[in-house]
């Protein structure tokens, strides 16, 4: 498993990410500012270390925000490419996963702006997956759907990924107070919807 992650990290620097969404007009536009010399070695080592530890976490994060598995893989590659490009400037403070989620959030937002929400008609009848869910799960999904995107992000990062409020503030580029308010508002809304 670790060897597979290390191999993915090594392949990151040599493979450009490509957009696969239907609305895309070509490859993802990336800057060419690769570090050189000692900065390149440090950036490559940093990317390999982070990819070995957090590649799957970043991939899951991107998958929840993008319409297809291929788009999520491309976005994850782009996250680590940007880490390589900016690695010489990275300072070790807090959890590295918070830094990666910040990059991933920006990459996913750019992909969404570029492609828009992807809705493709299905050509075959697919059974409704919601039919297998319990009533509680459906109620929870309905309650989560009433939250804003920022509120869902805060809850996911806080309870799904285990980040502290300060780390979420760094990811979302907001104050800790604003993150705490979003969390409180989201939890109050969920409670009201649940008890409804």
């Amino acid at each position: 498993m670790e060897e597979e992650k290390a191999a993915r990290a090594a392949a990151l620097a040599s493979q450009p990410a490509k957009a696969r969404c239907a609305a895309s007009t070509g490859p993802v536009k990336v800057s060419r500012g690769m570090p050189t010399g000692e900065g390149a070695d440090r950036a490559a080592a940093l990317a390999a270390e982070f990819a070995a530890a957090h590649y799957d976490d970043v991939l899951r994060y991107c998958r929840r925000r993008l319409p297809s598995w291929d788009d999520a893989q491309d976005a994850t590659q782009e996250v680590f490419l940007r880490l390589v490009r900016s690695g010489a400037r990275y300072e070790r403070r807090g959890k590295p996963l918070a830094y990666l989620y910040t990059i991933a959030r920006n990459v996913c937002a750019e992909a969404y702006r570029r492609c828009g929400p992807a809705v493709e008609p299905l050509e075959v009848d697919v059974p409704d997956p919601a039919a297998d869910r319990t009533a509680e799960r459906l109620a929870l999904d309905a309650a989560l759907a009433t939250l804003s995107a920022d509120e869902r992000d805060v809850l996911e990062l806080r309870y799904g990924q285990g980040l502290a409020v300060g780390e979420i503030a760094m990811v979302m580029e907001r104050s800790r107070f604003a993150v705490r308010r979003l969390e409180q508002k989201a939890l109050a809304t969920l409670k009201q919807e649940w008890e409804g």
Side-chain angles (χ1 to χ4, degrees):
M1 183 88 157
E2 293 299 319
E3 294 170 359
E4 181 181 313
K5 289 181 182 179
R8 283 188 275 189
L12 290 175
S14 64
Q15 297 179 1
K18 294 181 181 176
R20 289 191 173 100
C21 61
S24 177
T25 59
V28 174
K29 295 177 184 173
V30 293
S31 63
R32 302 284 179 223
M34 295 294 285
T36 58
E38 185 179 315
D41 294 339
R42 181 176 182 269
L46 184 70
E49 174 189 338
F50 282 9
H54 303 296
Y55 187 90
D56 293 337
D57 295 326
V58 173
L59 180 61
R60 278 191 299 274
Y61 183 88
C62 292
R63 180 59 190 113
R64 284 190 290 271
R65 281 158 182 74
L66 295 173
S68 74
W69 181 253
D70 289 336
D71 290 338
Q73 287 177 317
D74 287 345
T76 302
Q77 267 193 351
E78 180 65 19
V79 167
F80 286 98
L81 284 171
R82 288 185 186 186
L83 176 65
V84 168
R85 289 186 188 100
S86 69
R89 296 185 308 257
Y90 175 74
E91 296 177 21
R92 292 189 181 267
R93 293 181 302 198
K95 289 184 180 178
L97 192 55
Y99 183 70
L100 291 172
Y101 282 154
T102 300
I103 298 171
R105 186 171 193 253
N106 292 334
V107 169
C108 290
E110 289 170 11
Y112 187 80
R113 280 192 297 270
R114 185 178 58 252
C115 302
V119 178
E120 297 178 15
L122 295 176
E123 296 182 18
V124 296
D125 288 333
V126 178
D128 184 8
D132 295 337
R133 293 184 181 173
T134 65
E136 287 181 351
R137 179 62 191 193
L138 289 173
L140 179 59
D141 287 347
L144 287 171
T146 64
L147 300 177
S148 71
D150 285 340
E151 290 169 341
R152 283 191 304 270
D153 280 348
V154 167
L155 291 181
E156 179 185 331
L157 292 170
R158 181 82 166 125
Y159 300 104
Q161 302 298 328
L163 296 182
V165 172
E167 293 166 334
I168 297 170
M170 286 179 11
V171 169
M172 297 185 73
E173 297 176 347
R174 293 181 177 220
S175 69
R176 290 177 14 180
F177 177 77
V179 168
R180 178 62 77 184
R181 294 290 298 155
L182 277 171
E183 179 186 18
Q184 289 172 347
K185 182 180 175 194
L187 291 174
T189 301
L190 286 178
K191 183 178 180 182
Q192 180 180 4
E193 289 291 322
W194 190 261
E195 293 175 350

